[in-house]
Amino acid sequence: MVSFKWDQKRAIEIAKEDTEHNVLVRVVLNMIKKGFTPNEIVQATNLSLDDILKIAQKNKFVF
């Protein structure tokens, strides 16, 4: 059996990280739609090129 201890502080941290990630994904998608290059998106977001390409691919965008 798995033992689980509720950690409210960590739960809040995870929710915040998830929210920040979702906002960043929306920013990346908006930049792609506006015609920014992958390198421009990398510079603006500090995400890796690999992360940018994964977001694009997952959302059916091609550079």
Side-chain angles (χ1 to χ4, degrees):
M1 180 178 274
V2 175
S3 177
F4 177 77
K5 180 181 176 192
W6 175 253
D7 184 346
Q8 183 176 4
K9 182 179 177 182
R10 183 63 187 137
I12 291 170
E13 289 172 359
I14 291 170
K16 182 179 177 187
E17 290 169 3
D18 188 47
T19 300
E20 290 171 354
H21 173 77
N22 290 338
V23 169
L24 199 51
V25 167
R26 286 196 318 246
V27 168
V28 168
L29 293 175
N30 285 334
M31 292 180 79
I32 292 169
K33 290 175 188 175
K34 292 188 181 287
F36 286 81
T37 67
N39 287 332
E40 290 171 327
I41 299 171
V42 167
Q43 291 174 351
T45 63
N46 290 323
L47 291 173
S48 70
L49 180 58
D50 189 50
D51 288 338
I52 300 297
L53 296 176
K54 284 179 184 175
I55 291 169
Q57 182 181 25
K58 183 176 180 180
N59 290 278
K60 301 188 185 342
F61 284 98
V62 178
F63 285 102

